[in-house]
Amino acid sequence: MKIELAEPYRDTELGREAESLLLSCVQCGQCTFTCPTFRLLDDEWDGPRGRIYLIKQFMEGKEPTPDTLELPAYTLSTLEGRTLSANLQLHLDRCLGCRSCETSCPQGVRYGRLLDIGRELVEKESPRPLKEKLARRALRAVVPYRYRFTALLRTGQALRRFLPEDLRARIPQRRQAGVWPDRPHGRRMLIWQGCVQPGLAPDINAASARVLDRFGIRLIPASDGCCGALSHHMAETDEARAFMRKNIDALWPHIEAGAEALVLTASGCGMHFREYGQLLHDDPQYRDKAARLSELTRDIAEIVAEEWNDDPLHALPAPPKPRRIVFQSSCSLQHGEKLNGVVEKLLKRAGFKLLPVRYPFMCCGSAGAYSLLQPTLSESLRERKLETLLVSRPEAIATANIGCLTHLALASPVPVSHWIELLDKTFQEADSQLRGHPEPHMNPASANAHS
């Protein structure tokens, strides 16, 4: 795709980066039909090809007209009466950032990075209405901060029974973490606590610690707070970079002390940590540390897949009746971290019967703050996702990201759990059988046990 940058972007680093990304796109449209918002809205402007074209027009300083549009499939219906920057902002806001388009792109276009650049530049050109500004600022003032978010969540949970039904349905039940093992091991890894996960589902990281304890690895809770993804995807670049630097400073002493890896149980955060090196490449003080931290970032699935060997101590007896579940592979896991199929193999090895899922590349609609900023689209996507997940009548849904888990659980008729919780429970049941005190076979609902 040829591009002639407008004067404001011609000699800037972001302009040159965007130009190199745009040049690799041939506008073939192969990405279009794997885009959740295009499939939902049937509008080219709400697919990756349309958004890429709008970003190109924006960076060339052109307003789209029938004469400048090169793709006859495009329509101008959504552009009437609006400036290019305002329309670009609208369509970029509707993008989930799921990166399904990257997986299906034959040219390897890094759409996710182009999306970040487009959002950053258009935010400066098209000021938002006051109501939108306040809503986005409120999210950034609460969600990235663990204790602020947890305090607000606990208040809602305490008052839940007094709230109207529609509001009550949006507040998840409280969950218990369980025991965190503290046996000394020669191997140590850090585990990221995050901002919302400790409040919403503290049992996920505790289950991870129990599973890796079996493999001779001690998980050390690392600094909590936001990885920076929320601010980054809301075009607050300076704020995002401040979070990243803070996290590097907090984690670096552990890395210097010999921690093998930074383990993530939220694939969305894991995807962002893997990009620290790229996002801070122009920071002479932090770029080397950021690159090193990206190298050390591992999803919990990678660790378990490597460590779960054929040692009889790690063997699991075949269940008399395999539990029927579906795995919702989060977008950040399959499209961002490129770990498609890893968790599925682990669950099958653990004795679960994995049921097929149609359109597994489709997003559930969570996408970080998307479910709060674009509730109508988010809920429509969730409804479609649950249809595909439940068609085979599973006993439970497993996933790999706290956002997907919470979003789906609010509307799912069957329990939704992180897959590591199911594996941890399976190991515990096997231990009980070996001790001669078999526990009742796991009820999938126990994965979502509330306090």
Side-chain angles (χ1 to χ4, degrees):
M1 180 187 284
K2 295 181 180 179
I3 178 172
E4 295 182 8
L5 292 174
E7 184 63 33
Y9 311 118
R10 193 167 298 155
D11 296 318
T12 66
E13 185 172 351
L14 278 183
R16 289 189 292 269
E17 185 179 0
E19 181 179 23
S20 67
L21 295 171
L22 287 165
L23 284 172
S24 59
C25 178
V26 297
Q27 290 280 282
C28 66
Q30 208 159 312
C31 57
T32 303
F33 297 100
T34 61
C35 174
T37 49
F38 172 80
R39 293 172 71 99
L40 187 66
L41 301 171
D42 195 25
D43 188 340
E44 279 265 22
W45 296 118
D46 284 307
R49 181 167 66 168
R51 293 184 181 112
I52 287 173
Y53 193 80
L54 284 175
I55 292 173
K56 171 185 179 292
Q57 294 287 96
F58 173 80
M59 301 202 72
E60 289 183 329
K62 299 176 182 177
E63 292 287 338
T65 68
D67 296 331
T68 60
L69 289 173
E70 299 171 1
L71 298 172
Y74 285 158
T75 67
L76 292 172
S77 58
T78 59
L79 299 176
E80 293 174 1
R82 294 169 60 94
T83 64
L84 172 59
S85 59
N87 275 286
L88 177 56
Q89 188 176 69
L90 168 71
H91 296 297
L92 295 188
D93 281 352
R94 287 179 180 172
C95 179
L96 294 143
C98 68
R99 302 196 188 181
S100 180
C101 53
E102 289 190 6
T103 298
S104 60
C105 178
Q107 298 297 117
V109 177
R110 292 170 53 217
Y111 172 81
R113 179 56 186 152
L114 188 59
L115 172 67
D116 292 337
I117 294 173
R119 282 176 169 168
E120 181 177 348
L121 294 178
V122 79
E123 200 75 15
K124 299 173 183 176
E125 291 287 329
S126 185
R128 293 180 180 274
L130 180 60
K131 184 178 179 180
E132 283 188 30
K133 285 183 179 178
L134 292 176
R136 295 165 77 89
R137 185 68 189 92
L139 284 176
R140 295 184 356 256
V142 175
V143 175
Y145 300 94
R146 172 183 175 178
Y147 295 104
R148 296 180 195 176
F149 175 83
T150 302
L152 187 62
L153 175 65
R154 295 288 181 262
T155 301
Q157 289 169 334
L159 300 175
R160 195 171 184 272
R161 59 182 174 175
F162 304 111
L163 299 175
E165 185 175 350
D166 59 336
L167 185 56
R168 190 188 316 145
R170 296 175 180 271
I171 301 175
Q173 297 274 13
R174 187 167 180 174
R175 297 164 55 143
Q176 294 281 35
V179 177
W180 190 295
D182 60 357
R183 291 190 301 173
H185 292 295
R187 300 177 63 190
R188 292 177 295 110
M189 295 182 181
L190 306 173
I191 187 164
W192 183 252
Q193 294 286 70
C195 46
V196 302
Q197 186 166 297
L200 289 169
D203 38 343
I204 294 175
N205 280 359
S208 301
R210 291 191 291 268
V211 170
L212 292 196
D213 179 61
R214 296 173 177 274
F215 304 143
I217 297 172
R218 184 176 185 182
L219 274 187
I220 302 170
S223 176
D224 52 50
C226 186
C227 62
L230 182 76
S231 301
H232 182 72
H233 296 306
M234 293 176 75
E236 296 293 335
T237 306
D238 291 340
E239 186 176 84
R241 288 164 70 96
F243 275 118
M244 289 187 273
R245 294 185 185 104
K246 177 185 175 184
N247 295 337
I248 292 171
D249 288 340
L251 295 170
W252 200 250
H254 296 285
I255 294 172
E256 288 186 316
E260 287 184 46
L262 174 65
V263 180
L264 277 297
T265 54
S267 57
C269 299
M271 183 175 74
H272 193 64
F273 268 109
R274 291 178 194 268
E275 295 178 349
Y276 268 31
Q278 170 197 316
L279 296 172
L280 292 176
H281 75 279
D282 58 346
D283 186 327
Q285 185 177 352
Y286 282 89
R287 62 187 174 200
D288 292 338
K289 291 181 178 180
R292 178 60 178 153
L293 186 56
S294 291
E295 291 173 359
L296 292 174
T297 297
R298 310 289 299 283
D299 188 87
I300 182 63
E302 295 177 274
I303 305 296
V304 174
E306 289 178 3
E307 302 297 332
W308 192 3
N309 53 40
D310 295 327
D311 189 321
L313 292 175
H314 303 156
L316 290 172
K321 183 181 178 182
R323 286 149 276 183
R324 294 163 47 88
I325 67 171
V326 288
F327 179 62
Q328 186 264 339
S329 183
S330 53
C331 299
S332 45
L333 185 76
Q334 61 174 308
H335 305 309
E337 297 190 285
K338 310 296 184 186
L339 295 176
N340 210 12
V342 177
V343 174
E344 292 90 329
K345 290 179 181 177
L346 293 172
L347 289 172
K348 288 178 181 178
R349 183 177 176 185
F352 293 95
K353 180 175 176 58
L354 253 64
L355 304 172
V357 177
R358 292 182 298 162
Y359 312 116
F361 58 86
M362 291 295 288
C363 183
C364 70
S366 173
Y370 192 91
S371 60
L372 299 173
L373 297 172
Q374 302 285 337
T376 302
L377 293 178
S378 176
E379 289 170 13
S380 296
L381 290 166
R382 178 174 63 190
E383 182 179 353
R384 289 191 173 194
K385 188 67 180 180
L386 283 173
E387 285 178 7
T388 64
L389 292 172
L390 298 173
V391 69
S392 55
R393 298 183 180 180
E395 299 173 56
I397 298 171
T399 188
N401 188 53
I402 182 62
C404 305
L405 187 158
T406 306
H407 188 57
L408 291 172
L410 291 176
S412 173
V414 300
V416 185
S417 306
H418 195 288
W419 68 269
I420 195 69
E421 297 176 89
L422 299 182
L423 182 60
D424 173 51
K425 181 65 175 179
T426 303
F427 273 126
Q428 290 185 40
E429 289 178 344
D431 289 346
S432 296
Q433 292 178 17
L434 288 173
R435 289 194 300 265
H437 301 286
E439 295 179 346
H441 202 62
M442 187 187 82
N443 180 346
S446 66
N448 274 0
H450 309 312
S451 62

